[in-house]
Amino acid sequence: MHQEEAKLNLYSKMFLIRSFEKRLFDLFKKGKLFGTTHGCIGQEAVAVSVVSTLPKDTIYFSNHRCHGHFLAYSDRPDLLLAELMGKKGGVCAGRGGSQHLCYKDFFTNGVQGGIVPVATGIALAEKLKKSGRTVCVFIGDGTLGQGVVYESMNMASLWSLPILFVLENNQYAMSTFVRNAVAGSITARAEAFGIRSWDIVTSDVFAMCQTVQKACDYIAEEPRPGFLAFETYRFCGHSKSDECHYRTAAEVQTWAEKDAFEILQTSIKDKGKRELIEQQCLNRLEEVVREVEAMPFADV
Amino acid sequence: MYISEAINKVLFELLTTNPEVYLMGEDIESPYGGAFKITKNLSEQFKSRVINTPISESSLVGVASGMAMRGLRPVLEIMFGDFMTLGMDQLVNHASKFHYMYNGQVDVPMFIRTPMGGRRGYGPTHSQTLEKLLLGIPGIKVLALSQRHSFHDIYIHAVTKEKCPVILIENKALYSMRQELPENGRSGDFFITESAGPYPCLTLSLNNFVSADATVVTYGGMLPLVEKAATQLCLDEEIFVEIVVPSLLGVPLDINWVEASLRRTGRLVIVEEGTQSFGFGSEVAALACSKYFKLLKYPVIRIAAADSPIPCARHLENLVLPNEANIYQELKWGILNDS
Amino acid sequence: MTHDILVPRINSNDDSYILVEWEFSAGDFVKEGDVLCVIETSKSTFEIHAEESGYIHIFVHEHSKIKEGDAICRLSKEKEMPLNEKFDLSRNPSLASDKQIKATKKAIETARDLGVDLGKMMGDGIISQKDVEAFAQSQNVEDKKQQEVSFVTFKMDRDRIINDEFLKELLKDLGDRREFASLPSQKKIEIYRDKGALIGEDVKFERGSCIISQFMDIGAGTVFGENSVFQSKAMKIGRMCRFGDQLRVASTLLDIGDLLFTDNGIKIGEGGEWGPESILKIGDSCFIGEECMINTSRTVTIGNEVCLAYGAKIFTHNFWQPVLDGYAALFNPVKINDGSVIGVNVVIMPGVEVGAGSSVLTNSLLATNVPSGSVYAGIPAMMIKPAGSYPINLSYDEREKMIYKIFESLAEDLSFKGDDAQVLQEKEGVKLIWRNENTVFVYRRRLKSGDDLGAGAFKRWVLLTFENVLEDLKDAITVFDLSKKEVNGKQDEYSDELREALRKRGIRFKPILWRYKRRAQWIDLPMPLKFEK
């Protein structure tokens, strides 16, 4: 029962993310959205497992592919959509757009790797303030090319900062396959700095949550930094305009079978409840779309 | 007192009176006390708040901004201003933008202090004056102090009162000079007026502003050289110039402080240690042309470093960097030929 | 090739010297051996010579302090000093720290030309050429001011001011007791001198007279008449002045030259006499007749040999009716230049200037300027004779005719007294022999040595001439030089006879060694007067 409820809980969150992202593509096609977006379809499990497991007062720094993280953190699709549409109610009043979000203690920026030092600085501040809070920074496989990531890991370990590096290896940095951009082992990088790291290669959301919890406990103890390397896949393009010619349908199919979202979906015993959740979510989204469309544009 | 001492003192004061101030930088802890000894002895008193960092300028600027976002007031030393380039991404794409793109939800009151300037024979990558790279970034403040600005007052204000990232350019050559603050409007041979506000702009005259042939705008470590040239011009030729020395260089630049002097002289000269093209002088000239066109009677003169790397050997360095002799020469030629 | 010249050790007791003067300017070509500059030590000056030729580059300004070893200049084959050398203070560390007089090149040159000592200039900052010029100007003005004031405070030190207490006492005394005024003259003089006044020998204060003044400088031989009160902030009165009785003189500043003769009852002051421009300046050898009035509301300047005849009145202010109703108010100085005559009862209005050698005739009302050498008369005074009418350049013949007449008149006077006096017209001039006194008066147009002045061994020769070239005067000879108006040689009652005769014709000589006695002197007449029926 407890498990079921937990499942439904996680599922509703993941469903919100997937539906929202799909809806965005749809709105783009209808010409109702301006700019671009970096969809996270297929990576919802990472977002949800990390954000629901880490303490509520964790400070997050995410990257350009942040919608999943944002929705998992805030549960405010209206703020996000309004931001994307440049509306008054947008989380940054239209100034940030898709990649540059700030909501309570949730920040994102669109420059690869650059967020890592900032997150490290935040962790340093929290440690100096003795607040006991943790910082979580989301990076991708491509981010491993940036030097500042390593500088930050060096300092995080040197100064024993309460920071969790969460790497979402969705196999592609834009169009570049991970093996063509990242040499050696991913987790070994963190370990080289004395940062405890965990590989998470699973489609089971709960398994993910467990590992996250382990990392979390470890981090909070001393504190010490921690590193999580998730294996995942994005089913949409890198960005709106990406038609994914760089990967084969077969590959996509292989990963689709491992899609944590679908697996969770299937594992839910109570179909009715599941559908209800889905319907509620979709209705909510429609409501949001209507609301946001009616909003005035953001002030100058 | 020597300027290096003055900075050391004010950092001490900041650490004493503001618990959220943290000093960070490479080799700043005792006993070394910093490459230029500016932070000497500070870590002894404030062990936990004077943090020695690894050599990671690129991320350090980010770390400092993260700290600033969380309510601390980090004072980051970038050992040589030349290394500011490493921190550019953090400055341009993160720290300077957070406040704006997050719609004001966050402030980044980060303070970077870094020495720029040559004349110490440190060679091409340790002698540059790179303000112009910073002055292009919206959302930050760039300060540069001369020996006649109060390091104490300005530091305190910039570190504790500003909400945006502040980069304060120190000039290496000034470290071994004394603070020469004006008293009752006088200092040495000069008559000095100061504008109001936390970042005063000084105007210097050798004849109490009776008249002058040129308004020479300069800042920071160039002031002693311009003063020498101006004094020699006065003694040799009775050519008087007024020297205008702002402390806040941008961003953006507001040149209202030059108006009064320009009204008297009609001739604008800008002297800077950075390279000429697209520099501080260009901005001042452009602003003057649009804002004070009617006051200008002669072409604007820019005296700056040549668009070249800075050689190490002193005699070669002298050919690239502006010094008293060529400031004197350019001023004299400019004034005598264009009158 | 360049050669820096360093300050040598000049003596062993000074740690610094002063570079007083450069003999060359920067960029001049200097030859080996030339004196380059003068250095002053505490004891003496020292010259620095060029050890070789070259163009001189000067490092140190004039009036700078220098030390042994400082580089003061460079001799170079190059005319222009390289710019970066200009700024290199390291060669002379002593200069960097000393507070010297900072002046621009132009200022230093101008100061040299105008004779201004830069060290005397006050104010801070770098001295420019304009500053030097302004200073020089103010110096001149200062000097002028000094000069004007110095007439009155001539040779006065600060501690020769007469103190306030004494002056207050004098004023009080003037009011009720008149004790001081009644003191004997010698006593008064002693007291004045004691209190700080500068009073020459043979000065006399007759009964009832006194002076109330902060600065007093009275020349030898001056006599103050009875019951006169002189009141002034500062006064300088020359030698052998003679002031009449019952005078009331009041003015902020009195500056009176030598030999002023005033009669009784004159009033100087008369309203508004204490302003900053209440100055009375009188030259030498003037005459002010009885009952004259000079109002010193504004400056009255009277030149040399001016006569203000009986009852002349000079006004320097004129107001009564309100200006706001369109009436006029005048305050203007008056000037009377050398050798003029202001006739009896003439009234001079404010602002008038009377030119030299002119005459304003009796009873005139003078409201306009009078050009020199003219004659004005009338109410209002109009020109009678135009400018330049006088002096008239009479010929020697005409003058000699007059001189003959003067000698004749003198002979008559002497005869009247009962003496034997005879005038002779000679080829070379005129001669008057005064047998009783064995004195001869001789006029010659031109005197020269070896002149045979006539027969007879006279006791006294009194000579009158236009051209005196006598080289040395024997004891018995007096010469009156008509061109220079000078008298040379012995002066006594014999020479005085001629002198007086000439004086009565407006010809006055210097020096004067006597004054009229105070009281009229009866002359003992040897025979009774004869009246024509």
Side-chain angles (χ1 to χ4, degrees):
Chain A
M1 249 2 255
H2 179 79
Q3 263 263 9
E4 268 307 300
E5 248 181 71
K7 272 192 199 168
L8 284 168
N9 190 2
L10 290 176
Y11 181 72
S12 73
K13 288 189 171 135
M14 287 164 69
F15 187 82
L16 175 64
I17 295 170
R18 187 162 289 206
S19 321
F20 183 89
E21 296 288 76
K22 282 195 175 150
R23 198 74 177 78
L24 280 188
F25 285 121
D26 179 53
L27 286 168
F28 266 109
K29 282 209 184 77
K30 291 196 177 130
K32 296 226 172 116
L33 278 180
F34 179 70
T36 188
T37 183
H38 303 85
C40 62
I41 297 174
Q43 299 178 222
E44 305 86 345
V46 179
V48 170
S49 63
V50 170
V51 177
S52 352
T53 314
L54 288 176
K56 285 275 172 282
D57 64 357
T58 304
I59 302 149
Y60 293 92
F61 223 115
S62 174
N63 49 54
H64 55 285
R65 202 175 305 285
C66 58
H67 294 178
H69 310 138
F70 178 80
L71 290 171
Y73 178 84
S74 68
D75 194 34
R76 294 292 302 268
D78 56 314
L79 290 177
L80 184 51
L81 185 61
E83 180 63 24
L84 291 167
M85 290 183 118
K87 299 285 184 155
K88 198 162 182 161
V91 69
C92 293
R95 277 130 174 85
S98 169
Q99 305 180 66
H100 315 97
L101 304 175
C102 168
Y103 178 71
K104 295 191 182 163
D105 288 317
F106 183 92
F107 308 93
T108 80
N109 202 350
V111 177
Q112 283 274 15
I115 60 173
V116 184
V118 184
T120 310
I122 293 176
L124 176 58
E126 294 306 318
K127 180 176 179 189
L128 292 169
K129 291 199 290 187
K130 299 188 171 61
S131 66
R133 295 169 76 165
T134 314
V135 177
C136 170
V137 58
F138 289 100
I139 57 177
D141 45 293
T143 319
L144 290 174
Q146 284 285 0
V148 290
V149 173
Y150 303 102
E151 292 183 15
S152 307
M153 289 203 282
N154 182 43
M155 284 189 269
S157 181
L158 210 51
W159 296 332
S160 293
L161 300 182
I163 181 168
L164 178 64
F165 299 92
V166 176
L167 183 134
E168 291 177 85
N169 181 2
N170 62 8
Q171 313 307 310
Y172 285 91
M174 243 165 89
S175 67
T176 310
F177 183 53
V178 60
R179 285 286 140 236
N180 293 331
V182 180
S185 144
I186 291 177
T187 45
R189 284 159 159 71
E191 295 286 340
F193 289 103
I195 296 178
R196 183 89 208 283
S197 45
W198 293 264
D199 277 302
I200 305 181
V201 185
T202 175
S203 303
D204 179 352
V205 181
F206 287 104
M208 290 180 195
C209 290
Q210 271 174 6
T211 316
V212 173
Q213 186 62 58
K214 249 190 253 168
C216 182
D217 294 335
Y218 169 79
I219 289 165
E221 208 183 310
E222 278 203 39
R224 284 293 304 161
F227 189 95
L228 291 175
F230 281 88
E231 284 269 325
T232 182
Y233 200 80
R234 65 167 155 79
F235 294 107
C236 50
H238 157 76
S239 65
K240 181 195 96 225
S241 46
D242 180 10
E243 300 196 347
C244 299
H245 292 306
Y246 43 85
R247 50 194 197 184
T248 62
E251 185 192 286
V252 176
Q253 186 51 42
T254 319
W255 279 95
E257 283 155 21
K258 294 190 265 181
D259 181 14
F261 174 80
E262 301 241 320
I263 290 171
L264 180 63
Q265 191 182 52
T266 343
S267 81
I268 291 174
K269 297 196 181 93
D270 192 338
K271 252 208 168 100
K273 271 207 179 133
R274 195 203 83 200
E275 277 169 4
L276 180 61
I277 285 169
E278 286 170 4
Q279 196 52 55
Q280 276 175 343
C281 182
L282 288 169
N283 289 342
R284 184 184 174 201
L285 272 181
E286 283 319 302
E287 187 57 45
V288 163
V289 172
R290 253 199 310 275
E291 226 177 79
V292 171
E293 279 194 311
M295 271 182 201
F297 281 99
D299 290 334
V300 169
Chain B
M1 75 172 70
Y2 288 107
I3 285 173
S4 52
E5 275 178 68
I7 303 173
N8 182 274
K9 276 209 158 66
V10 72
L11 290 175
F12 183 85
E13 188 181 321
L14 283 165
L15 285 167
T16 312
T17 57
N18 297 74
E20 67 276 10
V21 167
Y22 285 80
L23 299 192
M24 298 169 68
E26 295 156 17
D27 301 290
I28 58 172
E29 280 178 17
S30 291
Y32 196 73
F36 296 98
K37 306 292 176 229
I38 306 292
T39 50
K40 73 171 180 211
N41 299 332
L42 294 176
S43 67
E44 282 160 24
Q45 282 260 302
F46 298 99
K47 188 118 188 71
S48 60
R49 289 164 57 203
V50 177
I51 304 172
N52 243 20
T53 66
I55 304 173
S56 309
E57 284 83 1
S58 308
S59 49
L60 280 172
V61 179
V63 169
S65 30
M67 290 168 75
M69 284 165 78
R70 304 306 293 176
L72 300 185
R73 294 245 174 200
V75 173
L76 175 63
E77 175 184 298
I78 298 287
M79 194 188 283
F80 280 83
D82 311 64
F83 309 155
M84 279 304 294
T85 50
L86 288 159
M88 284 309 270
D89 178 61
Q90 285 299 323
L91 209 45
V92 172
N93 286 321
H94 300 265
S96 66
K97 290 190 161 63
F98 285 154
H99 177 80
Y100 174 82
M101 66 187 185
Y102 293 162
N103 196 31
Q105 294 180 74
V106 149
D107 288 320
V108 188
M110 162 181 81
F111 187 92
I112 298 179
R113 36 170 298 274
T114 183
M116 302 253 197
R119 282 173 245 280
R120 285 228 189 168
Y122 289 151
T125 60
H126 288 58
S127 309
Q128 294 168 93
T129 299
L130 297 176
E131 283 84 273
K132 81 170 79 165
L133 300 178
L134 306 170
L135 288 169
I137 308 171
I140 64 171
K141 282 197 172 134
V142 180
L143 299 169
L145 305 189
S146 73
Q147 82 278 21
R148 299 200 187 278
H149 286 98
S150 169
F151 275 74
H152 173 271
D153 296 348
I154 293 177
Y155 265 73
I156 302 266
H157 187 274
V159 173
T160 60
K161 298 254 165 39
E162 288 296 344
K163 294 214 176 105
C164 64
V166 175
I167 305 172
L168 194 146
I169 313 288
E170 300 165 1
N171 188 291
K172 299 182 197 79
L174 287 185
Y175 283 153
S176 51
M177 281 189 66
R178 290 180 199 274
Q179 277 257 252
E180 280 169 359
L181 297 177
E183 259 179 66
N184 291 327
R186 299 300 313 279
S187 181
D189 294 316
F190 289 96
F191 297 82
I192 303 178
T193 61
E194 253 184 75
S195 70
Y199 306 122
C201 174
L202 309 174
T203 311
L204 286 76
S205 161
L206 282 168
N207 62 357
N208 207 3
F209 305 100
V210 162
S211 70
D213 291 297
T215 298
V216 181
V217 174
T218 188
Y219 64 87
M222 284 306 286
L223 181 59
L225 304 180
V226 175
E227 282 184 12
K228 275 212 196 112
T231 308
Q232 200 63 43
L233 259 182
C234 162
L235 291 175
D236 286 350
E237 307 285 345
E238 284 206 359
I239 292 176
F240 292 92
V241 301
E242 290 182 10
I243 311 174
V244 181
V245 196
S247 50
L248 177 64
L249 306 184
V251 176
L253 180 57
D254 177 357
I255 61 163
N256 54 7
W257 31 256
V258 88
E259 184 185 345
S261 179
L262 207 50
R263 211 172 271 284
R264 284 190 287 269
T265 67
R267 178 187 269 112
L268 182 60
V269 180
I270 304 112
V271 180
E272 58 179 315
E273 198 176 333
T275 56
Q276 169 130 310
S277 301
F278 299 90
F280 173 75
S282 319
E283 183 69 8
V284 173
L287 287 171
C289 284
S290 61
K291 207 169 164 188
Y292 302 124
F293 186 68
K294 293 221 168 82
L295 299 181
L296 291 171
K297 299 199 192 106
Y298 310 98
V300 174
I301 300 173
R302 288 180 299 164
I303 302 171
D307 286 325
S308 151
I310 302 167
C312 189
R314 169 167 278 196
H315 67 290
L316 297 176
E317 189 186 55
N318 254 350
L319 295 175
V320 171
L321 294 182
N323 53 41
E324 309 98 327
N326 61 21
I327 298 172
Y328 173 95
Q329 189 76 299
E330 296 243 18
L331 281 174
K332 185 168 159 181
W333 270 108
I335 292 171
L336 291 181
N337 285 341
D338 271 334
S339 298
Chain C
M1 277 299 131
T2 62
H3 172 79
D4 276 8
I5 295 193
L6 308 181
V7 178
R9 170 173 274 227
I10 299 174
N11 62 28
S12 45
N13 45 350
D14 288 333
D15 6 68
S16 64
Y17 316 117
I18 308 252
L19 191 140
V20 176
E21 194 180 39
W22 283 104
E23 303 298 328
F24 293 91
S25 300
D28 286 347
F29 188 78
V30 152
K31 291 196 296 297
E32 183 185 333
D34 280 347
V35 173
L36 296 176
C37 66
V38 176
I39 294 179
E40 190 183 85
T41 69
S42 59
K43 296 218 168 94
S44 64
T45 57
F46 183 87
E47 286 172 348
I48 300 236
H49 297 260
E51 289 159 47
E52 55 180 50
S53 329
Y55 291 98
I56 184 170
H57 299 155
I58 292 176
F59 296 152
V60 169
H61 292 301
E62 288 181 350
H63 311 288
S64 305
K65 245 199 213 157
I66 48 180
K67 284 197 174 88
E68 178 191 338
D70 284 348
I72 49 171
C73 68
R74 169 175 297 172
L75 297 177
S76 161
K77 296 290 168 255
E78 305 297 322
K79 194 160 194 256
E80 283 296 315
M81 176 151 80
L83 271 173
N84 49 4
E85 293 289 336
K86 268 193 171 150
F87 301 96
D88 184 10
L89 283 178
S90 61
R91 78 170 89 76
N92 278 337
S94 63
L95 284 186
S97 49
D98 268 336
K99 201 171 192 294
Q100 351 148 315
I101 304 161
K102 273 220 182 137
T104 67
K105 258 203 219 153
K106 286 188 188 165
I108 293 171
E109 281 162 16
T110 309
R112 192 174 28 221
D113 293 338
L114 296 180
V116 168
D117 180 357
L118 288 171
K120 287 229 174 81
M121 289 179 63
M122 294 211 289
D124 44 13
I126 297 182
I127 302 173
S128 71
Q129 186 184 44
K130 272 197 222 146
D131 299 330
V132 173
E133 286 167 351
F135 184 74
Q137 264 265 340
S138 76
Q139 282 285 61
N140 289 337
V141 170
E142 276 302 315
D143 282 344
K144 282 212 182 91
K145 270 212 189 120
Q146 285 286 10
Q147 280 182 336
E148 282 164 11
V149 175
S150 76
F151 273 128
V152 196
T153 59
F154 183 65
K155 282 189 188 141
M156 281 279 166
D157 334 358
R158 288 308 292 168
D159 48 350
R160 304 228 62 172
I161 302 176
I162 296 179
N163 71 37
D164 276 340
E165 291 308 310
F166 173 65
L167 287 180
K168 278 194 196 133
E169 277 301 306
L170 268 189
L171 274 168
K172 260 179 73 181
D173 179 83
L174 195 61
D176 34 18
R177 298 169 310 198
R178 305 224 88 212
E179 269 174 21
F180 181 85
S182 355
L183 287 173
S185 173
Q186 202 47 45
K187 195 76 194 148
K188 281 185 205 158
I189 290 171
E190 264 172 41
I191 294 174
Y192 279 131
R193 281 191 183 143
D194 178 57
K195 296 293 173 197
L198 207 57
I199 300 183
E201 296 303 314
D202 288 329
V203 170
K204 269 211 166 90
F205 287 86
E206 296 294 356
R207 199 170 36 197
S209 69
C210 76
I211 292 186
I212 300 159
S213 174
Q214 218 175 351
F215 293 92
M216 222 188 281
D217 180 348
I218 300 171
T222 292
V223 176
F224 290 88
E226 290 187 359
N227 294 319
S228 301
V229 176
F230 282 60
Q231 206 170 343
S232 165
K233 201 150 170 57
M235 63 166 68
K236 186 179 192 303
I237 296 178
R239 296 159 299 175
M240 294 189 76
C241 292
R242 188 275 205 183
F243 292 98
D245 306 332
Q246 262 79 251
L247 304 190
R248 185 191 162 296
V249 176
S251 183
T252 304
L253 234 69
L254 278 181
D255 180 357
I256 297 174
D258 296 337
L259 300 166
L260 174 67
F261 184 100
T262 78
D263 224 318
N264 305 326
I266 65 175
K267 304 235 182 316
I268 292 174
E270 300 308 295
E273 61 249 21
W274 298 119
E277 289 175 70
S278 299
I279 302 171
L280 174 62
K281 190 169 178 342
I282 301 180
D284 297 334
S285 307
C286 292
F287 173 91
I288 304 183
E290 268 193 304
E291 310 298 327
C292 278
M293 191 288 289
I294 302 179
N295 162 243
T296 49
S297 186
R298 289 289 179 275
T299 304
V300 176
T301 312
I302 296 174
N304 302 319
E305 301 205 33
V306 169
C307 169
L308 293 180
Y310 177 96
K313 292 171 180 54
I314 299 178
F315 290 90
T316 55
H317 74 288
N318 185 10
F319 69 87
W320 179 253
Q321 292 144 321
V323 296
L324 293 175
D325 292 343
Y327 294 103
L330 286 176
F331 290 88
N332 281 313
V334 166
K335 189 160 191 224
I336 301 176
N337 287 294
D338 295 352
S340 305
V341 163
I342 307 298
V344 166
N345 285 340
V346 164
V347 174
I348 297 185
M349 300 302 279
V352 163
E353 179 164 350
V354 176
S358 55
S359 319
V360 183
L361 304 185
T362 304
N363 273 348
S364 302
L365 170 63
L366 186 60
T368 55
N369 288 345
V370 170
S372 53
S374 62
V375 178
Y376 271 60
I379 299 174
M382 311 283 255
M383 188 192 316
I384 304 286
K385 285 208 175 137
S389 300
Y390 294 98
I392 298 176
N393 202 8
L394 300 172
S395 69
Y396 278 116
D397 281 335
E398 289 175 288
R399 286 179 174 163
E400 280 159 16
K401 281 199 184 115
M402 289 182 189
I403 290 171
Y404 181 82
K405 287 237 162 63
I406 294 170
F407 271 49
E408 263 192 338
S409 167
L410 177 57
E412 263 181 43
D413 287 342
L414 293 174
S415 303
F416 182 74
K417 278 200 283 185
D419 283 358
D420 177 4
Q422 203 177 17
V423 182
L424 299 162
Q425 177 73 57
E426 292 182 329
K427 195 175 68 185
E428 308 87 358
V430 188
K431 193 187 271 182
L432 194 167
I433 300 175
W434 187 7
R435 284 221 172 76
N436 297 61
E437 301 295 334
N438 210 8
T439 300
V440 66
F441 298 92
V442 181
Y443 164 76
R444 291 276 186 271
R445 190 183 298 183
R446 190 175 187 271
L447 282 178
K448 55 187 190 301
S449 300
D451 243 2
D452 172 25
L453 300 167
F458 290 101
K459 189 175 72 185
R460 287 281 277 116
W461 277 270
V462 180
L463 309 177
L464 181 67
T465 181
F466 280 102
E467 218 180 311
N468 175 23
V469 292
L470 287 181
E471 265 137 25
D472 74 311
L473 293 177
K474 290 202 205 75
D475 201 36
I477 296 178
T478 310
V479 179
F480 285 89
D481 186 333
L482 281 167
S483 307
K484 292 187 189 152
K485 301 280 180 2
E486 272 176 16
V487 49
N488 291 311
K490 187 179 194 163
Q491 288 196 58
D492 52 17
E493 60 264 47
Y494 306 105
S495 59
D496 273 357
E497 291 291 344
L498 182 57
R499 189 179 192 141
E500 272 295 281
L502 291 168
R503 185 185 73 80
K504 290 187 172 117
R505 278 134 184 115
I507 304 166
R508 293 172 282 269
F509 295 89
K510 282 185 178 157
I512 298 180
L513 301 179
W514 57 267
R515 296 303 284 171
Y516 280 113
K517 301 242 176 11
R518 272 298 296 128
R519 303 245 170 255
Q521 260 193 313
W522 286 109
I523 301 169
D524 235 343
L525 298 173
M527 59 188 182
L529 288 165
K530 274 190 189 135
F531 288 104
E532 300 286 303
K533 277 255 170 67

